[in-house]
Amino acid sequence: VQLQASGGGLVQAGGSLRLSCAASGHSFYRYAMGWFRQAPGKEREVVAAIGRSGDTYYADSVKGRFTISRDNAKKTAYLEMNSLKPEDAAVYSCAAKHVIVSASLPTRVDDYGYWGQGTQVTVSS
């Protein structure tokens, strides 16, 4: 599967952005999808993940502000980001992992084998 992330940009603190991750290939529904971010000088970290059944995971730092979703018909995953803070600024990347139905939701960077290019999110204070 190939992934293409988009939707980043410059936004003021308190603003919103929606990131999209479009996948090519077959059987998108068989993949768990994750959003990750990496700020300068920091390690890549998980932001949110969504499984085949729509189960979700959020990092504590984004709970209540970000929402991950997926549209299997469009083979696209989304990350709705609200109430953005300067500390949310980073390069955001999406990733995919083929999972079986009963698998637990992968939430670690190393769990994912397919990665899209990043999209820059800048938050001005």
Side-chain angles (χ1 to χ4, degrees):
V1 63
Q2 292 184 318
L3 306 173
Q4 178 79 32
S6 62
L10 171 64
V11 64
Q12 288 187 332
S16 300
L17 282 175
R18 187 175 83 154
L19 305 183
S20 298
C21 178
S24 62
H26 301 288
S27 303
F28 175 75
Y29 70 96
R30 295 182 184 272
Y31 290 82
M33 300 297 297
W35 283 100
F36 297 81
R37 67 187 181 187
Q38 186 168 23
K42 295 187 177 182
E43 292 187 355
R44 181 177 286 177
E45 63 177 3
V46 64
V47 176
I50 186 166
R52 291 181 55 164
S53 302
D55 47 322
T56 57
Y57 167 87
Y58 295 95
D60 288 343
S61 59
V62 306
K63 281 181 181 177
R65 301 187 298 121
F66 291 12
T67 303
I68 189 171
S69 61
R70 64 189 298 159
D71 185 330
N72 289 339
K74 294 183 178 179
K75 294 192 288 187
T76 302
Y78 303 97
L79 184 68
E80 184 76 33
M81 305 186 295
N82 298 315
S83 302
L84 281 161
K85 304 175 181 179
E87 52 263 44
D88 293 319
V91 174
Y92 284 70
S93 302
C94 59
K97 174 181 172 61
H98 188 275
V99 294
I100 59 175
V101 174
S102 59
S104 58
L105 182 59
T107 61
R108 302 178 305 165
V109 172
D110 292 345
D111 289 335
Y112 288 82
Y114 301 94
W115 290 84
Q117 92 296 350
T119 184
Q120 178 72 51
V121 172
T122 304
V123 184
S124 63
S125 57

